[in-house]
Amino acid sequence: MSLFYAIISQDIPNSLPLRKEARPAHVERLVALKEQGRLLIAGPHPAIDSADPGEAGFTGSLVVAEFDSLEDAQSWADADPYIAAGVYEKVIVKPFNKVLP
């Protein structure tokens, strides 16, 4: 039985150039989860109070998706291209119970 897991990532300071370079590969993995019907929500945290923060960039990301176990979710998170590119300084993976809506 699959459960939801939250993958909460914190960027290094001034991560925007690294994000831009690794974004296509990062998004490709999210699209694959979506196509498998496993993605609940995904997106970045803008560094300023704006949907389009421009050069201010982002401070991290949130992904909530279905995986078979915490270990599977952690393995998926560990393989994120943003990690390989040095975008994230910290990633937390934990179970998530969807209550609403």
Side-chain angles (χ1 to χ4, degrees), residues 16-31:
L16 190 58
L18 297 173
R19 270 183 171 269
K20 287 180 179 179
E21 186 175 323
R23 188 172 189 276
H26 171 80
V27 170
E28 183 178 321
R29 297 175 78 234
L30 293 170
V31 169

Side-chain angles (χ1 to χ4, degrees), residues 15 50 52 63 80:
S15 64
S50 173
D52 182 5
V63 174
D80 194 308

Side-chain angles (χ1 to χ4, degrees), residues 7 17 20 23 30 33 39 48 68 70 75 90:
I7 301 168
K20 287 180 179 179
R23 188 172 189 276
L30 293 170
L33 281 180
L39 183 65
I48 59 174
D68 290 331
L70 179 60
S75 293
K90 181 178 181 182

Side-chain angles (χ1 to χ4, degrees), residues 51-62:
D52 182 5
E55 290 304 309
F58 301 92
T59 62
S61 300
L62 171 66

